Amino acid sequence: MPVRGGADQVPAQGGGGVPIAFRAACPDCRARFELDPSALRLAIGGSRRATFYSFTCPECGAQVRKPAGERIVELLTGGGVSTLRSV
């Protein structure tokens, strides 16, 4: 998932075995939706520019790529999002 920059993408609080979902928005069509961890990909690079998360918008099919700061990386990895680490 404000929508710009990805700073607001936080997992929905699940309790009692409820799966985690991440709120997201598409910058192209402006749709807002929830994605499960398998719909997101996280790349952690050697710099801020090389660290990002991506997903495909379920509404318009756009490939979305947003920067991921430390907090976003923590939330996504803790929520089970597939992570690729590069040097």
Side-chain angles (χ1 to χ4, degrees), residues 42-53 65-69 73:
L42 174 64
I44 301 174
S47 69
R48 291 178 123 188
R49 292 189 68 169
T51 301
F52 61 91
Y53 65 96
R65 177 176 162 163
K66 295 186 178 186
V73 168

Side-chain angles (χ1 to χ4, degrees), residues 52-84:
F52 61 91
Y53 65 96
S54 62
F55 58 90
T56 301
C57 175
E59 297 294 321
C60 71
Q63 298 294 315
V64 180
R65 177 176 162 163
K66 295 186 178 186
E70 289 180 30
R71 181 70 176 137
I72 298 298
V73 168
E74 180 182 316
L75 290 169
L76 294 177
T77 55
V81 171
S82 176
T83 303
L84 170 67

